[in-house]
């Protein structure tokens, strides 16, 4: 009896009930990708035909989207019987950021307001930057505004190489992001300055300081690497990870899960460069996970590589590549194992801007006893509550098992 929570980062399935308050009424990550593929609108000459996700659709992805939006999508319709249980969930936490979504999945909704930086230039308070430069021993900073990470590196990367000044920027999330060249600035040096920044933004209630290392010699070939690190505040209450640890259960975390939870209760962490490598890590961790154990995995490429970059065709191809590997996981499920596939927010690649979108998420379950339909869930914490019950852990403070 084991459990696996698999987060397809940003794979939303339609605007949340409160999406209008976030400027996201009408956003639909999976729906708009499917629409673009069916209509030939994806910006890729190689892209032909409808979105093809047979294994995720068999697990209930298309039906979860229909439940959330009322639309039956080309490429997501399933003619057979959907085998497992499926549903959709709307977030209770304030915001549409990564920590809030993951913490709520793990049983801790974020009821407080995060701190954010204004859409001005400069966006960071002068006192913050002055203290950061002084305490980190820097010659200054570049950027100091809202920006797409890839765009600002392309724009300011060469100036960074010449000056030694890190590139600091933010987004609609509660983040202070620092980009620097992995070789000339140094990866460990980047982590050190991020740790300095973490201490300086705590009083502003900023959720994450993110190290964004990159390589390359010029704007023509700058590329972000897989050595990103998130310096996050810890969850305000015990999550399912904390409870599982207290019960001496084996825990394996995949990808950036350990960063998201500030390395609290995340057990053995495995990382890989890209979704395929992360899938390999997940299978390896799952193969060796003890009875009663919990594996928590995040697949970030959907969000960081395709969603934020508004790459519809790339997102579609990534979904199809991921779907093709789902059978490898399904064949490893044993009697008594529970699999929950979900997401933490949306990042509609057809939407304006480059930020996350406030969306419902799929809840695709395999291994649970057949019971009442999952239906529409108010809050992601029902996922954590269900996993806790399945693993015979003490109940979480939030959420209702389905």
């Amino acid at each position: 009896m084991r459990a696996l929570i698999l987060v397809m980062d940003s794979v939303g399935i339609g605007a949340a009930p409160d999406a209008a308050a976030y400027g996201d009424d009408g956003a639909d990550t999976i729906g708009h990708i499917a629409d673009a593929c069916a209509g030939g609108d994806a910006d890729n000459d190689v892209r032909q035909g409808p979105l093809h996700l047979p294994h995720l659709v068999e697990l209930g992805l298309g039906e979860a989207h229909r439940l959330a939006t009322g639309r039956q999508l080309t490429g997501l319709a399933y003619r057979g019987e959907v085998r497992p249980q499926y549903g959709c969930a709307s977030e209770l936490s304030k915001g549409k950021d990564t920590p809030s979504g993951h913490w709520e999945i793990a049983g801790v909704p974020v009821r407080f307001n995060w701190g954010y930086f204004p859409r001005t230039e400069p966006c960071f308070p002068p006192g913050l930057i002055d203290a950061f430069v002084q305490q980190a021993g820097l010659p200054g900073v570049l950027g100091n505004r809202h920006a797409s990470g890839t765009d600002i590196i392309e724009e300011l990367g060469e100036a960074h190489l010449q000056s030694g000044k890190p590139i600091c920027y933010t987004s609609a999330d509660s983040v202070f992001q620092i980009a620097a060249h992995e070789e000339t600035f140094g990866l460990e040096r980047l982590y050190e300055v991020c740790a300095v920044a973490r201490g300086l933004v705590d009083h502003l209630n900023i959720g994450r300081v993110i190290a964004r290392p990159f390589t390359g010699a010029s704007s023509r070939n700058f590329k972000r690497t897989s050595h990103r690190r998130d310096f996050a505040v810890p969850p305000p209450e015990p999550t399912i990870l904390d409870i599982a640890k207290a019960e001496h259960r084996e825990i394996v975390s995949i990808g950036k899960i350990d960063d998201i939870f500030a390395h609290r209760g995340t057990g053995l962490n495995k990382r890989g460069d890209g979704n395929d490598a992360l899938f390999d890590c997940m299978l390896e961790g799952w193969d060796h996970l003890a009875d009663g154990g919990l594996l928590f995995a995040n697949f970030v490429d959907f969000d960081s590589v395709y969603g934020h970059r508004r790459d519809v065709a790339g997102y579609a191809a990534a979904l199809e590549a991921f779907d093709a590997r789902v059978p490898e996981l399904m064949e490893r499920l044993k009697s008594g194992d529970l699999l929950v596939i979900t997401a933490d927010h949306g990042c509609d690649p057809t939407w304006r801007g480059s930020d996350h979108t406030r969306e419902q998420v799929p809840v695709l379950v395999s291994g649970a006893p057949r019971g009442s339909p999952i239906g529409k869930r108010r809050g992601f914490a029902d996922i954590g509550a269900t996993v806790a019950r399945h693993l015979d852990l003490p109940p979480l403070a939030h959420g209702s098992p389905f």
Side-chain angles (χ1 to χ4, degrees), residues 37-286:
C37 292
D41 296 329
D43 187 19
N44 188 332
D45 293 338
V46 179
R47 176 80 235 181
Q48 294 180 0
L51 189 63
H52 186 62
L53 306 175
H55 304 108
L56 288 171
V57 167
E58 187 175 357
L59 286 168
L61 180 61
E63 290 305 301
H65 178 270
R66 182 187 56 78
L67 182 64
T69 66
R71 291 204 300 150
Q72 185 70 68
L73 291 174
T74 301
L76 296 185
Y78 186 59
R79 297 180 180 178
E81 179 186 358
V82 176
R83 293 183 305 170
Q85 293 177 280
Y86 64 86
C88 59
S90 300
E91 190 172 5
L92 295 179
S93 299
K94 298 179 179 180
K96 48 183 177 179
D97 54 90
T98 295
S100 297
H102 282 78
W103 293 357
E104 188 168 325
I105 289 168
V108 181
V110 176
R111 301 294 192 177
F112 58 83
N113 289 312
W114 291 108
Y116 299 94
F117 296 110
R119 287 188 175 274
T120 57
E121 189 173 342
C123 65
F124 301 122
L128 170 61
I129 295 301
D130 291 344
F132 176 54
V133 167
Q134 180 180 5
Q135 294 184 28
L138 296 167
V141 302
L142 301 171
N144 200 343
R145 64 176 186 265
H146 281 245
S148 157
T150 51
D151 290 348
I152 202 167
I153 289 171
E154 181 179 353
E155 177 188 347
L156 298 176
E158 292 180 5
H160 160 69
L161 290 175
Q162 295 166 4
S163 67
K165 298 177 181 179
I167 304 167
C168 300
Y169 61 103
T170 189
S171 71
D173 285 352
S174 180
V175 291
F176 185 106
Q177 304 196 69
I178 307 174
H181 199 277
E182 189 167 297
E183 296 158 357
T184 59
F185 190 86
L187 189 59
E188 291 305 318
R189 172 67 171 145
L190 174 57
Y191 294 158
E192 289 171 2
V193 302
C194 285
V196 171
R198 175 68 269 171
L200 292 171
V201 300
D202 281 347
H203 74 285
L204 299 173
N205 207 26
I206 300 301
R208 290 178 293 165
V209 174
I210 304 179
R212 293 286 196 177
F214 65 96
T215 58
S218 74
S219 60
R220 294 187 300 275
N221 59 8
F222 287 140
K223 181 181 179 181
R224 295 199 298 196
T225 75
S226 63
H227 297 132
R228 160 187 171 159
R229 182 176 294 178
D230 293 29
F231 295 73
V233 295
E237 300 177 56
T239 70
I240 192 172
L241 294 167
D242 298 309
I243 293 170
K245 180 181 179 181
E247 294 291 311
H248 308 290
R249 303 299 181 87
E250 184 178 5
I251 301 168
V252 177
S253 56
I254 305 297
K256 64 177 186 175
I257 292 294
D258 62 337
D259 285 348
I260 293 169
F261 289 88
H263 309 273
R264 202 178 77 188
T266 50
L268 173 65
N269 179 249
K270 294 177 176 288
R271 288 178 178 258
D273 187 1
N275 278 355
D276 252 355
L278 288 170
F279 211 103
D280 291 338
C281 290
M282 180 180 68
L283 295 181
E284 181 183 359
W286 185 246

Side-chain angles (χ1 to χ4, degrees), residues 240 338 340 365 368 377 381-392 396 399-402:
I240 192 172
L338 177 69
V340 182
V365 179
R377 311 301 294 195
D382 291 359
I383 296 170
T386 300
V387 172
R389 173 177 284 184
H390 177 80
L391 293 178
D392 197 23
L396 304 181
S400 301
F402 40 76

Side-chain angles (χ1 to χ4, degrees), residues 9-12 15-16 18-25 27 29 90-104 110 112-116 119 146 171-175 208 256 303 308 310 343-348 351-361 380:
D9 201 308
S10 87
V11 182
D18 60 356
Y22 295 83
D24 294 329
D25 192 19
T29 297
S90 300
E91 190 172 5
L92 295 179
S93 299
K94 298 179 179 180
K96 48 183 177 179
D97 54 90
T98 295
S100 297
H102 282 78
W103 293 357
E104 188 168 325
V110 176
F112 58 83
N113 289 312
W114 291 108
Y116 299 94
R119 287 188 175 274
H146 281 245
S171 71
D173 285 352
S174 180
V175 291
R208 290 178 293 165
K256 64 177 186 175
D303 184 53
H308 284 300
R310 298 305 191 243
D344 53 341
H345 49 69
C347 198
D348 187 340
W351 208 243
R352 53 187 172 273
S354 60
D355 296 322
H356 294 154
T357 42
R358 179 80 168 182
E359 294 187 46
Q360 299 173 75
V361 302
F380 299 173

Side-chain angles (χ1 to χ4, degrees), residues 328-345:
E328 297 177 58
L329 174 60
M330 300 304 294
E331 68 187 14
R332 285 171 161 81
L333 297 181
K334 302 175 182 177
S335 176
D337 287 342
L338 177 69
L339 167 66
V340 182
I341 299 178
T342 188
D344 53 341
H345 49 69

